[in-house]
């Protein structure tokens, strides 16, 4: 759908620049308030952009990169472009797109807000275009009357566009296709319940929330025709790290004869990484599992295992859909052919 | 372990009769307060027993039956045995053991508290003995240094003894065996996080809490040697209905070459039920999925699918461990041979 944007009535813009280069500002959905309230953060100074990234008001690597680029413009308005850029880079240590976007802004060699705003808008538009291209390439996976299962939030809220795993859903929906989406709640941080269910519901897409342990049942009952998730990092043999629970789904899909797809931009591939065994898995705080949204639900001192990601081996992935095309079957040769 | 009871120091008694027949009363762990607090309910009249069952202060079909039997004694103390028994039967409509225990008490043909207390204590002791027998029959599944995965709470808190799925864990632990248990939190009602993690921790068993969607990862990492769950109803071909997420685990276990066992008393079998397809699956309130322990975590009006149980087909079950012996392989002939 050329020209489609994320600002239509039912699809609130995750990230928006309001006003002109000289006095405009950054407006973000405050994702910490979802799904209880749709509130916007108007960031008029660099400190408020830094805090918005730090406290996860904006999250998802692409969305963080775009937000930081606009933050640089706000720094330039105040005559502090260079130090603002360096400061923004300290907001989150691991989001690669953050450093990439800031480096690109600095690389222009100017502190002129107008020139910098043009570049930030270009980064924004490229991200949205990447999402749109994934949507076009993956739209065939969404059948009329079909059922789709997804996990976590690789959605509009994680990008400056229509998301990655959600891109074919928005694209098919805009084309008038009718289908059902099942969203795993995605413990422990509940991105599926809080964010994916919310954004698909806002867009008028038929979405049903399930607990993660219900996926096998809905598959067995014939409700699911295809599973589509995003990815955080893909090794050159096609093994894909994504939110914990994704590997779970891939095994269940294989058992039930359901195709399992990953939708991700080519920037997600790490060709220096031979296989999934080489992708380090972050272990997170026990408190995330001991609570839900801060409310205790287990003995406070109980031992917890809390890996943030798991790795789905290439042989369980039917295809990987990128903005450049489809990798199918998922082999090292096919990955190199598509990504570089 | 002949003579083992549930009242040792580290294993709080789910159900206990305190005092004599004439003036004694029923003491229950108030499971609605777990794991935040270990509080006891002292039920001195029939109304408080009825409410304890109704509001899930005591849950698990065996534990409910034993509690109701003691409730009948309390009714007899007040000279209202017959009406008290009928009243207690209205506390929960689907717990078969409730009616069975009350019928057994009425069948004595007496309203003498002393005679009724003897019968209630017999029901209590038979339930504990059933658990002990399952523990002995299944203890070989727990290897020294091994890893066990369980789901929901088929534990001491659900019975008047050492539980069903947990029975081999307590038995092996008492025999000095060292092993690790992984407990699925078991969304939406979190019986694994609230109850299983708590009771195993109290008993000094090495327990680690995981989110349901982490099961595939811990299996892949070689942490799990055996999966053991309970069952709510088993068809005569061996298909087993249990808490939602159990079928999930059975598929994952098969994929990883890990044996999957069900531990359940022979009273769980429904020989009138030909297969799992004939077991009705209760659909529960959307609010259970939209919240965790009452706290909202999804859009309030989002559509939800919330089956309370799933059915694991017999072909995914390595064996069923009962108090009478082991059904392996799980076939209709083997079930009939063991159960009748």
């Amino acid at each position: 759908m050329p020209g489609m944007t994320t600002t239509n009535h039912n699809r609130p813009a995750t990230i928006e620049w309001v006003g002109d280069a000289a006095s405009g500002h950054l407006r973000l959905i405050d994702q910490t308030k979802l799904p209880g309230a749709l509130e916007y953060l108007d960031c008029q100074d660099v400190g408020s952009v830094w805090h918005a990234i730090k406290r996860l008001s904006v999250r998802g690597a692409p969305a963080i990169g775009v937000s930081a680029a606009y933050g640089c413009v706000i720094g330039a308005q105040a005559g502090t472009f260079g130090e603002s850029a360096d400061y923004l880079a300290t907001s989150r240590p691991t989001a690669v797109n953050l450093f990439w976007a800031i480096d690109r802004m600095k690389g222009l060699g100017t502190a002129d807000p107008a020139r910098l705003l043009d570049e930030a808008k270009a980064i924004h538009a490229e991200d949205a275009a990447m999402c749109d291209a994934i949507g076009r390439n993956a739209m065939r996976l969404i059948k009329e009357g079909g059922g789709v299962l997804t996990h976590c939030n690789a959605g509009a809220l994680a990008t400056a566009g229509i998301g990655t795993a959600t891109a074919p859903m928005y694209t098919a929906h805009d084309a008038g296709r009718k289908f059902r989406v099942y969203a795993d709640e995605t413990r422990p941080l509940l991105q599926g319940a809080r964010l994916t269910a919310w954004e698909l519901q806002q867009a008028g897409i038929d979405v049903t929330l399930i607990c993660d342990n219900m996926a096998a049942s809905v598959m067995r009952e014939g409700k699911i025709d295809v599973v589509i998730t995003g990815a955080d990092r893909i090794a050159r043999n096609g093994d894909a790290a994504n939110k914990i629970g994704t590997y779970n789904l891939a095994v269940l899909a294989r058992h039930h004869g359901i195709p399992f797809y990953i939708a991700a931009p080519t920037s997600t591939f790490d060709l220096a990484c031979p296989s999934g065994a080489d992708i380090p898995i972050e272990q997170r705080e026990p408190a995330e599992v001991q609570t839900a949204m801060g409310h205790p639900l287990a003995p406070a001192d109980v031992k917890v295992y809390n890996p943030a990601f798991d790795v789905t081996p290439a042989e369980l992935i039917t295809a990987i859909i990128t903005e450049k095309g489809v990798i199918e079957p998922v082999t090292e040769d096919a990955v190199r052919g598509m990504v570089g």
Side-chain angles (χ1 to χ4, degrees), chain A:
Chain A
M1 318 253 359
M4 187 169 60
T5 73
T6 59
T7 52
N8 74 26
H9 181 64
N10 290 316
R11 208 171 290 164
T14 302
I15 303 167
E16 197 176 4
W17 182 263
V18 180
D20 61 15
S23 63
H25 69 277
L26 173 64
R27 179 173 289 167
L28 300 169
I29 292 178
D30 185 352
Q31 298 188 33
T32 65
K33 301 289 174 61
L34 292 175
L38 174 56
E39 291 182 16
Y40 292 89
L41 275 180
D42 286 293
C43 301
Q44 314 260 6
D45 55 55
V46 172
S48 60
V49 178
W50 187 93
H51 282 287
I53 297 171
K54 181 76 177 177
R55 70 168 175 254
L56 311 187
S57 293
V58 61
R59 28 66 60 195
I64 289 172
V66 173
S67 300
Y70 285 126
C72 290
V73 179
I74 296 171
Q77 289 172 342
T80 62
F81 170 63
E83 43 190 291
S84 293
D86 293 342
Y87 176 58
L88 286 165
T90 66
S91 59
R92 283 192 70 189
T94 51
V96 165
N97 296 51
L98 173 66
F99 311 123
W100 170 86
I102 290 170
D103 285 348
R104 183 163 155 181
M105 297 298 280
K106 288 162 93 173
L108 288 181
T110 175
D112 173 31
R115 288 264 286 119
L116 289 164
L117 180 60
D118 286 346
E119 191 70 6
K121 287 188 169 177
I123 292 172
H124 188 154
E126 288 165 24
D127 191 63
M130 173 275 287
C131 295
D132 288 346
I134 288 178
R136 286 192 299 276
N137 292 339
M139 182 180 165
R140 67 176 171 85
L141 306 181
I142 313 282
K143 307 288 189 228
E144 177 71 26
V148 187
L149 177 62
T150 190
H151 191 69
C152 196
N153 179 260
L157 288 167
T159 66
I162 57 172
T164 57
T166 56
M169 304 176 200
Y170 288 117
T171 306
H173 179 70
D174 287 345
R177 213 166 284 175
K178 298 268 181 282
F179 55 95
R180 290 161 288 105
V181 179
Y182 288 82
D184 272 356
E185 65 175 8
T186 319
R187 281 281 289 155
L189 295 182
L190 297 158
Q191 294 91 340
R194 295 192 301 112
L195 307 178
T196 302
W198 181 83
E199 69 166 83
L200 295 180
Q201 191 183 41
Q202 291 290 312
I205 293 174
D206 181 352
V207 60
T208 299
L209 179 64
I210 60 172
C211 297
D212 300 311
N213 64 24
M214 298 171 186
S217 283
V218 299
M219 289 183 185
R220 187 153 199 240
E221 292 163 13
K223 293 185 165 76
I224 307 298
D225 299 292
V226 60
V227 180
I228 310 175
T229 77
D232 283 86
R233 192 165 166 191
I234 306 176
R236 70 170 182 255
N237 73 340
D239 291 354
N242 191 44
K243 182 63 59 198
I244 186 72
T246 304
Y247 168 57
N248 231 54
L249 286 188
V251 172
L252 297 174
R254 173 60 54 94
H255 181 83
H256 293 90
I258 297 167
F260 175 88
Y261 292 92
I262 282 182
T266 49
S267 60
T268 306
F269 287 82
D270 181 355
L271 297 184
C273 195
S275 80
D278 305 291
I279 301 176
I281 301 298
E282 177 189 3
Q283 299 293 324
R284 294 178 58 89
E285 287 298 306
E288 291 181 353
V289 173
Q290 290 160 347
T291 64
M293 301 189 65
H295 302 288
L297 32 93
D301 55 346
V302 73
K303 196 157 59 166
V304 163
Y305 182 59
N306 184 20
F309 305 101
D310 58 24
V311 173
T312 300
E315 64 264 25
L316 292 180
I317 305 170
T318 308
I320 301 174
I321 318 281
T322 77
E323 78 283 12
K324 292 184 182 173
V326 177
I327 299 171
E328 181 176 14
V330 181
T331 63
E332 181 159 340
D333 281 353
V335 167
R336 287 188 182 281
M338 182 70 67
V339 180

